[in-house]
């Protein structure tokens, strides 16, 4: 029987009692109890050397925390003391930015990471990713307040027009460890659920005397003040739980909990429920690599796009938790990682020239989730990174004009299990050229996907699957940009959806393009209107009827 585990991440803005929030620690613990939390990730604990007792001695909990400053930063991981728990290792960042805890819960190995990424610190996530690639074991869970958002259209109450200085570092962090934003993946359409709301202090307007003393234009001064207040009051989703793609099948649910017990913090907790299944047991299908030590190739034997040892090693180290009966275990690969990288490099490059050996792409399926051999996961991860180089999200700041009448979110009706082979080739051939350009030969990728009746199977658990779905959305987005003039079209690769700012009279064209996409790819999409501006002054009954019909029919077919 599977074991259930509930984890909560929460920026509490301090854990000590304050004048504004008396009995704060008690209220925090009562909320964790109400949420039935087994593991709690707390950020901004504000713990200095003279007040460690506020987190060190908590009845009913084991605590692991950083000590930094009594008024800023600080993180803590709390473990219920009635859980079967075994500590393996722990490490705390000296600047109070993260805690890493390697442990066993219910006999299962975990690497629990709690992060508070301060807005003025740009190297925390890079330092943390390099560390985790070397030491992480078991199921990796990274939770915390990252002080940035994944998507400007869906993860902020309204666009501020300001840059997100930490977002490039965040994108690099999740890419290096092949992580996903769990809540965002489970709620692709949701654009009105946030974790951080403005605090009482941020709602206060700048005093008139201070404005009067400044030597600037009073009109401009007033506009600046309104813009500042609007930005400060904007709700956003800064708090997230991140997990590797190959462990997301363990997640039961991930929800944002709205506190109703009075003001504790300007952040809401994020609650993750997950199952811990028993490991598989069966015989291997593919017998692994048996070959001589690789010799150095002559220049005439080499070709562009060959796999290098660095790619193999990076992919290997990004696999933190992976149990498979189809090959030797992951620990054996990592125990001699340098030698394994050399062997796999030669094996993969031979495969790209001579073809994929029988049994290499086989998998075991359980409740829709596929398990592969370690060698396949490494090769699939390498090509996933190569494809994603062409699919990187735009981090440029854009200002959306309010005169757009509709905001539409387009996502998959259900998880696609196959895609037409001809469409996949077309999508690969149309990826945008970038400089310097990485290898664009993706024929081996197509061969790694099983075929049936002109379709390529998209297996849940394969690293390539979510990337190929993003590729298909990118292809559609390019078409929409050409056909929906003056509209703003973006792909959110984290949530696997497309966002469109458009005029109401273009909605029928949008639906037609979605129908054409389904015919070409074999994948059904569903458009949903997220917002309609100026409803009182714009009459769009025909569009609203079309929207209702599309949603009732399960998508555009």
């Amino acid at each position: 029987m599977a074991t259930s585990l509930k984890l909560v991440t929460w920026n509490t803005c301090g854990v000590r009692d304050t004048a504004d929030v008396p009995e704060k620690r008690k209220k925090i613990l009562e909320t964790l109890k109400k949420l039935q939390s087994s593991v709690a990730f707390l950020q901004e604990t504000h713990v200095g050397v003279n007040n460690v007792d506020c987190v060190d001695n908590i009845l009913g909990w084991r605590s692991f925390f950083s000590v930094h400053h009594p008024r800023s930063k600080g993180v803590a991981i709390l473990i219920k003391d009635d859980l079967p728990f075994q500590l393996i290792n722990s490490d705390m960042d000296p600047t109070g930015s993260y805690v890493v805890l390697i442990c066993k819960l219910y006999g299962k190995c975990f690497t629990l990471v709690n992060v508070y990424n301060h807005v003025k610190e740009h190297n925390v996530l890079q330092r943390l990713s390099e560390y985790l690639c070397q030491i992480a074991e078991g199921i990796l869970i990274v939770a915390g307040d990252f002080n940035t958002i994944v998507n400007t259209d869906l993860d902020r109450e309204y666009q501020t027009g300001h840059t997100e200085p930490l977002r490039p570092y965040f994108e690099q962090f999740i890419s290096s460890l092949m992580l996903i934003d769990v809540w965002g993946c489970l709620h692709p359409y949701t654009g009105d659920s946030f974790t951080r709301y403005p605090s009482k202090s941020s709602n206060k307007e700048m005093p008139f005397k201070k404005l009067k003393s400044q030597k600037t234009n009073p009109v401009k001064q007033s506009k600046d003040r309104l813009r500042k207040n609007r930005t400060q009051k904007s709700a956003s989703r800064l708090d997230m739980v991140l997990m590797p793609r190959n462990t997301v099948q363990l997640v039961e649910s991930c929800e944002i909990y709205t506190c109703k017990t009075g003001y504790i913090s300007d952040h809401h907790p994020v609650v993750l429920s997950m199952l811990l299944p028993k490991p598989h047991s069966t015989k291997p299908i593919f017998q692994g690599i048996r070959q001589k030590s690789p010799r150095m190739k002559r220049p005439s034997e080499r070709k562009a796009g060959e796999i290098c040892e660095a790619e193999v090693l990076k992919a290997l180290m990004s696999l933190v938790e992976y149990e498979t009966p189809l090959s030797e275990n992951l620990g054996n690969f990592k125990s001699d990682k340098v030698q394994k990288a050399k062997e796999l490099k030669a094996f993969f490059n031979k495969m790209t020239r001579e073809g994929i050996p029988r049994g290499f792409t086989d998998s075991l399926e359980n409740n829709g989730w596929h398990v592969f051999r370690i060698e396949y996961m490494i090769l699939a991860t390498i090509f996933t990174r190569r494809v994603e180089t062409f699919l990187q999200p735009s981090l440029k700041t854009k200002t959306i004009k309010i005169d757009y009448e509709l905001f539409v979110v387009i996502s998959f009706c259900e998880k696609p299990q196959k895609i037409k082979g001809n469409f996949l080739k077309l999508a690969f051939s149309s990826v945008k050229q970038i400089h310097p350009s990485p290898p664009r030969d993706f024929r081996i990728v197509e061969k790694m996907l099983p075929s049936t009746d002109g379709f390529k199977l998209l297996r849940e658990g394969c690293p390539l699957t979510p990337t190929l779905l993003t590729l298909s959305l990118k292809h559609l987005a390019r078409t929409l940009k050409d056909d929906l003039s003056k509209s703003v079209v973006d792909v959110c690769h984290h949530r696997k959806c497309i966002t469109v700012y458009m005029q109401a009279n273009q909605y029928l064209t949008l639906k037609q393009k979605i129908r054409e996409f389904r015919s070409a790819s074999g994948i059904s999409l569903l458009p949903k209107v997220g917002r309609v501006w100026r409803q009182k002054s714009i009459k769009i009954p025909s569009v609203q009827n079309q929207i209702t019909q599309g949603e009732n029919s399960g998508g555009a077919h």
Side-chain angles (χ1 to χ4, degrees):
M1 182 177 179
T3 303
S4 182
L5 192 64
K6 188 166 286 189
L7 305 95
V8 175
T9 179
W10 191 8
N11 183 327
T12 58
C13 297
V15 294
R16 290 174 291 143
D17 302 344
T18 65
D20 292 335
V21 190
E23 297 185 323
K24 184 169 186 176
R25 191 179 80 155
K26 179 181 178 182
K27 292 178 180 178
I28 292 172
L29 296 176
E30 287 176 348
T31 303
L32 294 178
K33 181 179 180 181
K34 184 177 181 180
L35 296 175
Q36 300 179 328
S37 174
S38 300
V39 180
F41 301 79
L42 305 182
Q43 299 88 42
E44 284 203 270
T45 51
H46 298 176
V47 174
V49 293
N50 296 324
N51 47 42
V52 295
D53 287 345
C54 61
V55 290
D56 193 22
N57 299 310
I58 302 179
L59 185 63
W61 296 87
R62 300 181 181 92
S63 55
F64 303 86
F65 56 93
S66 64
V67 178
H68 180 62
H69 194 279
R71 292 179 182 172
S72 69
K73 301 174 65 172
V75 287
I77 298 178
L78 307 182
I79 309 286
K80 288 287 290 184
D81 60 6
D82 58 355
L83 261 63
F85 171 82
Q86 178 185 348
L87 177 65
I88 298 176
N89 189 25
S90 63
D91 191 42
M92 290 77 180
D93 179 60
T95 67
S97 297
Y98 62 78
V99 168
V100 178
L101 181 63
I102 303 177
C103 62
K104 285 189 176 182
L105 296 171
Y106 296 102
K108 189 76 174 177
C109 187
F110 283 83
T111 298
L112 305 176
V113 185
N114 189 6
V115 181
Y116 177 69
N117 195 16
H118 193 276
V119 292
K120 293 184 179 180
E121 294 192 18
H122 295 172
N123 61 348
V124 168
L125 294 182
Q126 180 182 356
R127 186 168 71 244
L128 180 59
S129 67
E130 292 171 353
Y131 177 57
L132 292 178
C133 281
Q134 297 298 321
I135 61 93
E137 301 178 29
I139 300 173
L140 174 63
I141 299 177
V142 183
D145 179 357
F146 296 90
N147 267 314
T148 191
I149 57 176
V150 171
N151 184 270
T152 55
D153 299 315
L154 298 170
D155 296 322
R156 197 178 288 284
E157 191 172 17
Y158 44 72
Q159 294 193 19
T160 63
H162 296 298
T163 59
E164 296 287 340
L166 294 182
R167 190 177 167 202
Y169 304 97
F170 178 76
E171 293 281 355
Q172 186 177 12
F173 175 74
I174 61 178
S175 175
S176 66
L177 295 164
M178 303 294 285
L179 303 175
I180 61 166
D181 163 29
V182 178
W183 188 92
C185 286
L186 296 180
H187 305 83
Y189 285 114
T190 306
D192 57 357
S193 294
F194 310 106
T195 61
R196 193 264 179 186
Y197 289 82
S199 62
K200 298 175 182 179
S201 59
S202 66
N203 290 337
K204 296 179 182 179
E205 294 189 359
M206 191 181 297
F208 179 76
K209 290 183 179 180
K210 187 173 182 179
L211 288 173
K212 188 175 181 180
S213 63
Q214 295 175 349
K215 296 181 180 180
T216 57
N217 186 311
V219 176
K220 181 179 181 300
Q221 202 172 59
S222 178
K223 290 182 178 179
D224 290 343
R225 182 179 67 179
L226 291 175
R227 189 181 298 111
K228 180 178 180 181
N229 289 334
R230 188 170 185 248
T231 302
Q232 289 176 330
K233 294 177 183 178
S234 176
S236 53
R237 193 171 67 89
L238 307 178
D239 308 86
M240 289 171 263
V241 180
L242 311 176
M243 293 179 65
R245 297 175 181 179
N246 62 287
T247 57
V248 71
Q249 80 278 10
L250 302 176
V251 175
E252 283 186 297
S253 64
C254 187
E255 303 295 340
I256 298 172
Y257 173 74
T258 303
C259 297
K260 299 179 180 179
T261 55
Y263 180 81
I264 298 177
S265 168
D266 57 359
H267 290 251
H268 291 328
V270 180
V271 185
L272 174 75
S273 298
M274 62 184 300
L275 290 174
L276 305 181
K278 292 182 179 180
H280 310 276
S281 60
T282 187
K283 294 181 179 180
I285 297 175
F286 181 70
Q287 297 302 317
I289 304 170
R290 292 193 181 101
Q291 58 181 30
K292 298 178 181 179
S293 299
R295 65 178 177 84
M296 181 64 70
K297 289 184 181 181
R298 294 189 298 271
S300 60
E301 295 178 302
R302 300 174 186 172
K303 68 174 185 177
E306 287 194 339
I307 293 169
C308 66
E309 286 182 31
E311 287 182 297
V312 176
L313 192 58
K314 185 176 181 180
L316 170 61
M317 299 311 294
S318 70
L319 291 175
V320 178
E321 164 73 5
Y322 204 75
E323 295 182 357
T324 176
L326 303 180
S327 63
E328 57 182 301
N329 63 55
L330 183 60
N332 292 344
F333 278 79
K334 290 190 174 183
S335 63
D336 192 11
K337 57 188 178 185
V338 176
Q339 181 60 31
K340 281 291 185 183
K342 291 179 180 179
E343 294 175 0
L344 288 171
K345 168 194 169 183
F347 177 58
F348 292 155
N349 285 327
K350 180 180 179 182
M351 187 186 302
T352 59
R353 296 189 302 271
E354 302 177 6
I356 298 176
R358 184 179 179 182
F360 180 79
T361 63
D362 290 346
S363 66
L364 294 177
E365 188 265 339
N366 182 23
N367 294 327
W369 191 267
H370 292 259
V371 177
F372 304 85
R373 56 181 298 99
I374 298 296
E375 293 93 336
Y376 177 91
M377 290 295 292
I378 293 173
L379 183 59
T381 299
I382 291 172
F383 282 109
T384 294
R385 293 186 191 278
R386 288 190 178 185
V387 177
E388 287 187 346
T389 304
F390 297 93
L391 307 179
Q392 290 299 318
S394 173
L395 302 180
K396 296 180 180 179
T397 303
K398 61 179 183 293
T399 302
I400 303 300
K401 298 178 181 179
I402 199 65
D403 58 358
Y404 287 112
E405 297 164 2
L406 297 181
F407 173 68
V408 182
V409 181
I410 307 169
S411 188
F412 300 106
C413 292
E414 55 188 17
K415 289 183 179 179
Q417 298 182 354
K418 58 184 180 179
I419 187 171
K420 288 186 177 180
N422 290 336
F423 176 84
L424 188 59
K425 289 181 180 180
L426 178 63
F428 273 134
S429 64
S430 64
V431 291
K432 184 180 179 181
Q433 289 277 5
I434 59 176
H435 300 282
S437 179
R440 286 166 50 93
D441 186 356
F442 297 123
R443 286 173 294 180
I444 186 66
V445 175
E446 298 174 42
K447 294 177 182 178
M448 293 175 67
L449 305 175
S451 301
T452 176
D453 299 327
F455 284 85
K456 292 290 185 178
L457 299 184
L458 300 175
R459 295 174 288 183
E460 282 290 314
C462 175
L464 286 164
T465 295
T467 300
L468 296 180
L469 293 178
T470 300
L471 176 67
S472 66
L473 292 178
K474 281 275 190 179
H475 188 74
L476 173 59
R478 282 191 290 270
T479 303
L480 294 177
K481 288 178 181 179
D482 294 336
D483 296 326
L484 301 178
S485 59
K486 299 182 181 179
S487 297
V488 179
V489 183
D490 277 322
V491 176
C492 179
H493 71 294
H494 296 285
R495 296 207 196 185
K496 298 295 177 287
C497 66
I498 299 175
T499 59
V500 185
Y501 291 89
M502 58 186 293
Q503 301 302 329
N505 59 10
Q506 296 177 315
Y507 188 75
L508 295 180
T509 302
L510 174 69
K511 290 196 66 178
Q512 177 61 30
K513 292 302 173 184
I514 291 176
R515 283 193 290 268
E516 292 174 1
F517 173 84
R518 182 182 185 276
S519 177
S521 67
I523 296 176
S524 297
L525 298 175
L526 176 65
K528 287 188 177 181
V529 175
R531 290 187 288 270
V532 181
W533 285 285
R534 301 192 300 175
Q535 289 183 354
K536 294 182 180 179
S537 59
I538 296 178
K539 296 180 181 180
I540 48 173
S542 60
V543 172
Q544 293 293 5
N545 290 337
Q546 290 286 346
I547 294 168
T548 304
Q549 292 171 10
E551 293 177 0
N552 291 339
S553 64
H557 297 283

